[in-house]
Amino acid sequence: LAREVVEELDLPEIIRSSTGAMTSDAVRGVRARSMHADDAVAAVSDRFLWRRRDSRRWSAESGSDGDPHEKPDE
């Protein structure tokens, strides 16, 4: 009975699909940590260069193109 069950199962496909899901989760975690690290580096560099955090981001409302030397609207 056990042999029949094992023969009916597609073990390689089960292993591939579970490994793929684990890999996908790992990649998502690495991407999220990378984004947080990028934000931290940007915050440190903004502070070092005496920039306001919002001044380096593009804003559709103000028409800013992201120029860090541009004064933000007040």
Side-chain angles (χ1 to χ4, degrees):
L1 179 63
R3 285 185 192 163
E4 289 178 25
V5 171
V6 169
E7 289 173 2
E8 291 295 322
L9 291 176
D10 188 7
L11 285 177
E13 178 59 31
I14 293 171
I15 293 169
R16 271 194 299 272
S17 65
S18 66
T19 303
M22 289 173 42
T23 302
S24 178
D25 289 344
V27 168
R28 269 192 232 117
V30 169
R31 285 181 179 164
R33 280 183 250 138
S34 296
M35 288 187 302
H36 291 299
D38 185 48
D39 287 343
V41 169
V44 168
S45 64
D46 285 348
R47 183 174 282 185
F48 178 73
L49 296 173
W50 294 58
R51 290 191 297 212
R52 290 185 183 177
R53 183 78 170 142
D54 295 335
S55 68
R56 66 181 204 89
R57 303 227 180 229
W58 181 80
S59 172
E61 296 84 26
S62 67
S64 172
D65 62 357
D67 182 2
H69 302 292
E70 180 182 325
K71 291 184 180 181
D73 295 336
E74 293 184 17

